[in-house]
């Protein structure tokens, strides 16, 4: 038996968004102070809800930032893959934070329906309009990395959703000015809940599947197995496993039955480059079997 492991650990590693995280955190923290103060002075649950959610986004940005930085730590004898999984835990933590925010905002909004306060629509519109600028600016900082990293995509979606939420608050403020209907304010808050819940659910689902080491989204396990089975000299593929090492890197292990004997290092090097190029699988370990005698004990118990 023989194996090979791809030691190129940086083919598709996370891009450095440290500066984007720093700028986004400062912008949003400053806006939270402004919006929270305005919401308190005007007794607007919509502004207070949005400020609370923006505060959770500040925490979320810090968590995502921490996960991204920890993922860069070098390997050690105990953590042989380094701390790459930290970015997955950060994404999962962010989804939990969002779900907690949903509950708090929804509960407060429902209570305000029973006794809607007088709202200063003009103030609400001005502060929320500023929120659109802040949130869109922050979202753009993460736009280029949103497709390849769930951690970055989480930050991007939070900010983009907040921009949409702020736009809703502006519309609500205008309607309050026109109609004087106080119920519009908590109604806008419930709309905020729906937006947050939608983004939180998607983030929670994808990050949880990563924690459970499911095949990463965007990788077709059947296509990978076919590609391995079609390699010259391969009679059979078994014990194929594909899992996420981080929010940007995937690993693979597989047993290749090759009755003609070990194909040599050139075959293995070509295989690792093909998997990296075609499927974005950076860490590859394969075991070559000649097919003589009993197969590996794992065969039949774990496949794909």
């Amino acid at each position: 038996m023989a194996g090979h492991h791809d030691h190129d650990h940086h083919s598709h590693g996370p891009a450095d968004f440290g500066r984007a995280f720093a700028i986004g955190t400062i912008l949003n923290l400053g806006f939270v102070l402004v919006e929270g103060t305005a919401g308190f002075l005007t007794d607007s649950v919509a502004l207070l809800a949005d400020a609370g959610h923006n505060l959770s986004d500040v925490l979320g940005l810090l968590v995502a930032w921490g996960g991204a930085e920890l993922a860069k730590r070098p390997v050690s004898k105990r953590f042989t893959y380094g701390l790459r999984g930290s970015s997955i835990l950060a994404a999962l933590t962010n989804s939990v934070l969002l779900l907690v925010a949903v509950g708090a905002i929804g509960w407060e909004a429902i209570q305000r329906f029973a006794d809607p306060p007088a709202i200063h629509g003009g103030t609400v519109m001005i502060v929320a309009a500023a929120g659109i600028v802040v949130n869109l600016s922050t979202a753009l900082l993460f736009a280029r990395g949103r497709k390849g990293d769930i951690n970055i995509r989480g930050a991007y979606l939070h900010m983009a959703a907040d921009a949409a939420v702020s736009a809703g608050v502006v519309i609500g403020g205008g309607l309050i000015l026109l109609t004087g209907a106080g119920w519009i304010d908590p109604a806008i808050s419930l709309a905020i809940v729906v937006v947050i819940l939608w983004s939180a659910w998607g983030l929670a689902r994808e990050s949880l599947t990563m924690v459970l080491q499911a095949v990463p989204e965007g990788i077709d396990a059947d296509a990978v197995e076919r590609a391995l089975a079609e390699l010259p000299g391969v009679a059979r593929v078994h014990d194929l496993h594909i899992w996420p090492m981080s929010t940007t890197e995937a690993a693979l292990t597989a047993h290749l039955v090759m009755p003609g004997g070990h194909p040599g290092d050139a075959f293995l090097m070509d295989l690792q480059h093909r998997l990296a190029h075609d499927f974005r699988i950076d860490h590859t370990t394969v075991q070559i079997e000649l097919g003589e005698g009993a197969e590996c004990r794992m065969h039949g118990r774990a496949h794909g």
Side-chain angles (χ1 to χ4, degrees):
M1 291 187 179
H4 177 77
H5 180 245
D6 172 10
H7 293 282
D8 179 8
H9 295 293
H10 303 286
S11 300
H12 300 289
D16 189 358
F17 281 86
R19 184 179 180 185
F21 278 120
I23 295 173
T25 299
I26 293 172
L27 281 176
N28 281 271
L29 190 57
F31 182 66
V32 164
L33 295 175
V34 173
E35 188 175 32
T37 299
F40 179 77
L41 293 176
T42 60
D43 201 22
S44 167
V45 66
L47 283 180
L48 288 173
D50 198 36
H53 179 49
N54 273 302
L55 184 60
S56 75
D57 278 342
V58 171
L59 180 57
L61 285 172
L62 292 174
V63 169
W65 191 1
E69 291 301 314
L70 286 174
K72 299 175 186 176
R73 296 287 294 274
V75 300
S76 66
K77 289 185 177 180
R78 184 175 184 187
F79 297 98
T80 56
Y81 277 135
L83 298 177
R84 287 172 167 80
S86 299
S87 57
I88 300 175
L89 294 178
L92 182 61
T93 300
N94 265 323
S95 67
V96 173
L97 290 174
L98 283 170
L99 291 174
V100 171
V102 164
I105 294 170
W107 177 251
E108 180 66 20
I110 291 172
Q111 289 183 318
R112 289 297 184 105
F113 268 116
D115 185 23
I119 301 297
H120 302 285
T123 303
V124 171
M125 292 177 68
I126 292 171
V127 176
I132 297 176
V133 175
V134 171
N135 291 320
L136 271 182
S137 299
T138 306
L140 290 175
L141 294 173
F142 301 101
R144 67 182 175 88
R146 70 187 186 278
K147 293 183 179 180
D149 188 340
I150 184 180
N151 209 17
I152 300 301
R153 183 160 75 253
Y156 171 81
L157 289 176
H158 290 184
M159 296 301 107
D162 283 349
V165 165
S166 295
V169 173
V170 170
I171 295 172
L175 292 175
I176 291 172
L177 283 177
L178 291 175
T179 66
W183 60 266
I184 292 176
D185 185 68
I188 291 293
S189 298
L190 290 181
I192 291 175
V193 165
V194 173
V195 172
I196 300 173
L197 186 60
W198 180 263
S199 60
W201 171 249
L203 189 64
R205 178 183 57 81
E206 189 170 351
S207 57
L208 187 58
T209 59
M210 282 188 165
V211 169
L212 296 176
Q213 297 189 327
V215 176
E217 291 192 10
I219 296 179
D220 186 338
D222 290 333
V224 173
E225 184 170 10
R226 285 195 300 271
L228 293 175
E230 291 170 359
L231 292 172
V234 175
R236 188 165 57 260
V237 178
H238 67 93
D239 290 306
L240 172 62
H241 300 278
I242 307 169
W243 72 96
M245 293 178 55
S246 71
T247 53
T248 61
E249 298 169 285
L252 172 149
T253 60
H255 293 204
L256 306 182
V257 179
M258 305 185 72
H262 194 287
D265 289 347
F267 172 92
L268 297 173
M269 290 295 292
D270 180 69
L271 172 59
Q272 75 175 48
H273 287 301
R274 180 175 178 182
L275 290 173
H277 180 270
D278 295 349
F279 300 102
R280 296 183 65 83
I281 298 174
D282 303 279
H283 302 258
T284 299
T285 303
V286 297
Q287 178 168 302
I288 305 300
E289 298 173 358
L290 303 182
E292 301 171 350
E295 287 193 358
C296 172
R297 288 181 301 167
M298 292 293 292
H299 184 42
R301 286 193 289 160
H303 185 257

